[in-house]
PDB file of all heavy atoms in Angstrom:
ATOM      1  N   LEU A  14     -18.233   2.091  12.880  1.00 91.00           N
ATOM      2  CA  LEU A  14     -17.714   0.919  12.176  1.00 91.00           C
ATOM      3  C   LEU A  14     -18.005  -0.314  13.029  1.00 91.00           C
ATOM      4  O   LEU A  14     -17.630  -0.360  14.207  1.00 91.00           O
ATOM      5  CB  LEU A  14     -16.200   1.041  11.946  1.00 91.00           C
ATOM      6  CG  LEU A  14     -15.517  -0.155  11.272  1.00 91.00           C
ATOM      7  CD1 LEU A  14     -16.052  -0.357   9.852  1.00 91.00           C
ATOM      8  CD2 LEU A  14     -13.996   0.043  11.238  1.00 91.00           C
ATOM      9  N   PHE A  25     -17.608  -6.173   7.605  1.00 88.00           N
ATOM     10  CA  PHE A  25     -17.358  -4.793   8.008  1.00 88.00           C
ATOM     11  C   PHE A  25     -18.553  -3.949   7.573  1.00 88.00           C
ATOM     12  O   PHE A  25     -18.890  -3.924   6.389  1.00 88.00           O
ATOM     13  CB  PHE A  25     -16.092  -4.249   7.335  1.00 88.00           C
ATOM     14  CG  PHE A  25     -14.850  -5.028   7.658  1.00 88.00           C
ATOM     15  CD1 PHE A  25     -14.461  -6.084   6.858  1.00 88.00           C
ATOM     16  CD2 PHE A  25     -14.075  -4.702   8.753  1.00 88.00           C
ATOM     17  CE1 PHE A  25     -13.321  -6.814   7.137  1.00 88.00           C
ATOM     18  CE2 PHE A  25     -12.927  -5.417   9.052  1.00 88.00           C
ATOM     19  CZ  PHE A  25     -12.548  -6.476   8.249  1.00 88.00           C
ATOM     20  N   LEU A  27     -20.188  -0.043   7.704  1.00 91.00           N
ATOM     21  CA  LEU A  27     -19.956   1.370   7.992  1.00 91.00           C
ATOM     22  C   LEU A  27     -21.310   2.077   8.027  1.00 91.00           C
ATOM     23  O   LEU A  27     -22.081   2.005   7.064  1.00 91.00           O
ATOM     24  CB  LEU A  27     -19.059   1.991   6.928  1.00 91.00           C
ATOM     25  CG  LEU A  27     -18.476   3.371   7.246  1.00 91.00           C
ATOM     26  CD1 LEU A  27     -17.436   3.261   8.368  1.00 91.00           C
ATOM     27  CD2 LEU A  27     -17.827   3.973   5.998  1.00 91.00           C
ATOM     28  N   ASN A  37     -18.744  -4.771   3.686  1.00 81.00           N
ATOM     29  CA  ASN A  37     -17.653  -5.506   3.049  1.00 81.00           C
ATOM     30  C   ASN A  37     -17.469  -6.835   3.760  1.00 81.00           C
ATOM     31  O   ASN A  37     -17.571  -6.913   4.981  1.00 81.00           O
ATOM     32  CB  ASN A  37     -16.361  -4.678   3.123  1.00 81.00           C
ATOM     33  CG  ASN A  37     -15.208  -5.328   2.383  1.00 81.00           C
ATOM     34  OD1 ASN A  37     -14.542  -6.211   2.917  1.00 81.00           O
ATOM     35  ND2 ASN A  37     -14.959  -4.893   1.168  1.00 81.00           N
ATOM     36  N   ARG A 156      -1.103   6.732   6.106  1.00 87.00           N
ATOM     37  CA  ARG A 156      -2.404   7.379   6.345  1.00 87.00           C
ATOM     38  C   ARG A 156      -2.561   8.622   5.473  1.00 87.00           C
ATOM     39  O   ARG A 156      -3.619   8.838   4.879  1.00 87.00           O
ATOM     40  CB  ARG A 156      -2.532   7.748   7.823  1.00 87.00           C
ATOM     41  CG  ARG A 156      -3.789   8.539   8.145  1.00 87.00           C
ATOM     42  CD  ARG A 156      -4.274   8.253   9.534  1.00 87.00           C
ATOM     43  NE  ARG A 156      -5.310   9.179   9.968  1.00 87.00           N
ATOM     44  CZ  ARG A 156      -6.584   9.146   9.561  1.00 87.00           C
ATOM     45  NH1 ARG A 156      -6.965   8.240   8.677  1.00 87.00           N
ATOM     46  NH2 ARG A 156      -7.464  10.010  10.027  1.00 87.00           N
ATOM     47  N   ASN A 245      -4.078  -5.187   8.249  1.00 69.00           N
ATOM     48  CA  ASN A 245      -5.290  -5.986   8.296  1.00 69.00           C
ATOM     49  C   ASN A 245      -6.459  -5.116   7.839  1.00 69.00           C
ATOM     50  O   ASN A 245      -6.390  -3.892   7.825  1.00 69.00           O
ATOM     51  CB  ASN A 245      -5.524  -6.550   9.702  1.00 69.00           C
ATOM     52  CG  ASN A 245      -5.848  -5.472  10.723  1.00 69.00           C
ATOM     53  OD1 ASN A 245      -6.874  -4.815  10.653  1.00 69.00           O
ATOM     54  ND2 ASN A 245      -4.957  -5.282  11.681  1.00 69.00           N
ATOM     55  N   ARG A 246      -7.548  -5.764   7.423  1.00 68.00           N
ATOM     56  CA  ARG A 246      -8.640  -5.054   6.764  1.00 68.00           C
ATOM     57  C   ARG A 246      -9.208  -3.930   7.642  1.00 68.00           C
ATOM     58  O   ARG A 246      -9.497  -2.835   7.159  1.00 68.00           O
ATOM     59  CB  ARG A 246      -9.748  -6.047   6.388  1.00 68.00           C
ATOM     60  CG  ARG A 246     -10.902  -5.431   5.612  1.00 68.00           C
ATOM     61  CD  ARG A 246     -10.433  -4.840   4.298  1.00 68.00           C
ATOM     62  NE  ARG A 246     -11.546  -4.275   3.555  1.00 68.00           N
ATOM     63  CZ  ARG A 246     -11.407  -3.458   2.539  1.00 68.00           C
ATOM     64  NH1 ARG A 246     -10.206  -3.093   2.141  1.00 68.00           N
ATOM     65  NH2 ARG A 246     -12.463  -2.990   1.907  1.00 68.00           N
ATOM     66  N   ALA A 247      -9.354  -4.189   8.942  1.00 75.00           N
ATOM     67  CA  ALA A 247      -9.910  -3.173   9.833  1.00 75.00           C
ATOM     68  C   ALA A 247      -9.018  -1.933   9.852  1.00 75.00           C
ATOM     69  O   ALA A 247      -9.493  -0.798   9.739  1.00 75.00           O
ATOM     70  CB  ALA A 247     -10.070  -3.738  11.238  1.00 75.00           C
ATOM     71  N   SER A 248      -7.712  -2.149   9.975  1.00 77.00           N
ATOM     72  CA  SER A 248      -6.783  -1.015  10.029  1.00 77.00           C
ATOM     73  C   SER A 248      -6.729  -0.264   8.706  1.00 77.00           C
ATOM     74  O   SER A 248      -6.617   0.963   8.684  1.00 77.00           O
ATOM     75  CB  SER A 248      -5.378  -1.504  10.412  1.00 77.00           C
ATOM     76  OG  SER A 248      -5.372  -2.031  11.728  1.00 77.00           O
ATOM     77  N   SER A 249      -6.807  -1.007   7.575  1.00 75.00           N
ATOM     78  CA  SER A 249      -6.760  -0.329   6.278  1.00 75.00           C
ATOM     79  C   SER A 249      -8.010   0.518   6.059  1.00 75.00           C
ATOM     80  O   SER A 249      -7.946   1.603   5.470  1.00 75.00           O
ATOM     81  CB  SER A 249      -6.588  -1.344   5.139  1.00 75.00           C
ATOM     82  OG  SER A 249      -7.725  -2.171   5.015  1.00 75.00           O
ATOM     83  N   ILE A 250      -9.172   0.061   6.551  1.00 79.00           N
ATOM     84  CA  ILE A 250     -10.396   0.858   6.471  1.00 79.00           C
ATOM     85  C   ILE A 250     -10.233   2.138   7.290  1.00 79.00           C
ATOM     86  O   ILE A 250     -10.555   3.234   6.843  1.00 79.00           O
ATOM     87  CB  ILE A 250     -11.618   0.048   6.957  1.00 79.00           C
ATOM     88  CG1 ILE A 250     -11.988  -1.031   5.930  1.00 79.00           C
ATOM     89  CG2 ILE A 250     -12.820   0.961   7.211  1.00 79.00           C
ATOM     90  CD1 ILE A 250     -13.072  -1.981   6.391  1.00 79.00           C
ATOM     91  N   LEU A 251      -9.687   1.988   8.496  1.00 82.00           N
ATOM     92  CA  LEU A 251      -9.474   3.159   9.351  1.00 82.00           C
ATOM     93  C   LEU A 251      -8.447   4.108   8.746  1.00 82.00           C
ATOM     94  O   LEU A 251      -8.608   5.330   8.801  1.00 82.00           O
ATOM     95  CB  LEU A 251      -9.025   2.708  10.747  1.00 82.00           C
ATOM     96  CG  LEU A 251     -10.094   1.974  11.563  1.00 82.00           C
ATOM     97  CD1 LEU A 251      -9.501   1.410  12.840  1.00 82.00           C
ATOM     98  CD2 LEU A 251     -11.253   2.901  11.891  1.00 82.00           C
ATOM     99  N   ARG A 252      -7.388   3.555   8.166  1.00 78.00           N
ATOM    100  CA  ARG A 252      -6.373   4.389   7.531  1.00 78.00           C
ATOM    101  C   ARG A 252      -6.991   5.268   6.449  1.00 78.00           C
ATOM    102  O   ARG A 252      -6.656   6.446   6.314  1.00 78.00           O
ATOM    103  CB  ARG A 252      -5.286   3.510   6.901  1.00 78.00           C
ATOM    104  CG  ARG A 252      -4.169   4.293   6.196  1.00 78.00           C
ATOM    105  CD  ARG A 252      -3.309   3.368   5.372  1.00 78.00           C
ATOM    106  NE  ARG A 252      -4.082   2.745   4.289  1.00 78.00           N
ATOM    107  CZ  ARG A 252      -3.689   1.674   3.617  1.00 78.00           C
ATOM    108  NH1 ARG A 252      -2.543   1.094   3.910  1.00 78.00           N
ATOM    109  NH2 ARG A 252      -4.438   1.152   2.655  1.00 78.00           N
ATOM    110  N   ASP A 253      -7.923   4.683   5.676  1.00 78.00           N
ATOM    111  CA  ASP A 253      -8.497   5.392   4.541  1.00 78.00           C
ATOM    112  C   ASP A 253      -9.688   6.277   4.909  1.00 78.00           C
ATOM    113  O   ASP A 253      -9.934   7.287   4.242  1.00 78.00           O
ATOM    114  CB  ASP A 253      -8.932   4.398   3.465  1.00 78.00           C
ATOM    115  CG  ASP A 253      -7.748   3.616   2.883  1.00 78.00           C
ATOM    116  OD1 ASP A 253      -6.614   4.092   3.016  1.00 78.00           O
ATOM    117  OD2 ASP A 253      -7.982   2.539   2.307  1.00 78.00           O
ATOM    118  N   LEU A 254     -10.410   5.914   5.972  1.00 80.00           N
ATOM    119  CA  LEU A 254     -11.682   6.589   6.232  1.00 80.00           C
ATOM    120  C   LEU A 254     -11.762   7.338   7.560  1.00 80.00           C
ATOM    121  O   LEU A 254     -12.612   8.207   7.725  1.00 80.00           O
ATOM    122  CB  LEU A 254     -12.839   5.569   6.192  1.00 80.00           C
ATOM    123  CG  LEU A 254     -13.063   4.818   4.884  1.00 80.00           C
ATOM    124  CD1 LEU A 254     -14.202   3.820   5.053  1.00 80.00           C
ATOM    125  CD2 LEU A 254     -13.381   5.781   3.751  1.00 80.00           C
ATOM    126  N   PHE A 255     -10.905   7.000   8.522  1.00 83.00           N
ATOM    127  CA  PHE A 255     -11.059   7.545   9.874  1.00 83.00           C
ATOM    128  C   PHE A 255     -10.954   9.068   9.883  1.00 83.00           C
ATOM    129  O   PHE A 255     -10.051   9.651   9.295  1.00 83.00           O
ATOM    130  CB  PHE A 255     -10.008   6.954  10.810  1.00 83.00           C
ATOM    131  CG  PHE A 255     -10.205   7.371  12.246  1.00 83.00           C
ATOM    132  CD1 PHE A 255     -11.136   6.730  13.038  1.00 83.00           C
ATOM    133  CD2 PHE A 255      -9.483   8.431  12.782  1.00 83.00           C
ATOM    134  CE1 PHE A 255     -11.339   7.124  14.354  1.00 83.00           C
ATOM    135  CE2 PHE A 255      -9.677   8.832  14.093  1.00 83.00           C
ATOM    136  CZ  PHE A 255     -10.609   8.171  14.883  1.00 83.00           C
ATOM    137  N   PHE A 259     -16.097   9.837  13.518  1.00 90.00           N
ATOM    138  CA  PHE A 259     -16.244   8.504  14.118  1.00 90.00           C
ATOM    139  C   PHE A 259     -16.620   8.623  15.594  1.00 90.00           C
ATOM    140  O   PHE A 259     -15.959   9.330  16.362  1.00 90.00           O
ATOM    141  CB  PHE A 259     -14.948   7.706  13.973  1.00 90.00           C
ATOM    142  CG  PHE A 259     -14.862   6.900  12.705  1.00 90.00           C
ATOM    143  CD1 PHE A 259     -14.682   7.532  11.484  1.00 90.00           C
ATOM    144  CD2 PHE A 259     -14.973   5.515  12.721  1.00 90.00           C
ATOM    145  CE1 PHE A 259     -14.606   6.804  10.306  1.00 90.00           C
ATOM    146  CE2 PHE A 259     -14.903   4.776  11.553  1.00 90.00           C
ATOM    147  CZ  PHE A 259     -14.721   5.422  10.331  1.00 90.00           C
ATOM    148  N   TYR A 276      -3.686   0.298  16.361  1.00 80.00           N
ATOM    149  CA  TYR A 276      -3.557   1.146  15.177  1.00 80.00           C
ATOM    150  C   TYR A 276      -4.115   2.545  15.435  1.00 80.00           C
ATOM    151  O   TYR A 276      -3.528   3.547  15.010  1.00 80.00           O
ATOM    152  CB  TYR A 276      -4.258   0.509  13.973  1.00 80.00           C
ATOM    153  CG  TYR A 276      -4.020   1.256  12.691  1.00 80.00           C
ATOM    154  CD1 TYR A 276      -2.737   1.371  12.161  1.00 80.00           C
ATOM    155  CD2 TYR A 276      -5.056   1.881  12.018  1.00 80.00           C
ATOM    156  CE1 TYR A 276      -2.486   2.086  10.990  1.00 80.00           C
ATOM    157  CE2 TYR A 276      -4.826   2.592  10.847  1.00 80.00           C
ATOM    158  CZ  TYR A 276      -3.545   2.684  10.337  1.00 80.00           C
ATOM    159  OH  TYR A 276      -3.311   3.401   9.194  1.00 80.00           O
TER     160      TYR A 276
END
Side-chain angles (χ1 to χ4, degrees):
L14 177 64
F25 300 91
L27 193 69
N37 185 278
R156 175 149 169 75
N245 67 66
R246 184 61 179 165
S248 295
S249 66
I250 288 173
L251 292 172
R252 180 192 64 197
D253 296 340
L254 299 178
F255 186 81
F259 270 71
Y276 187 63

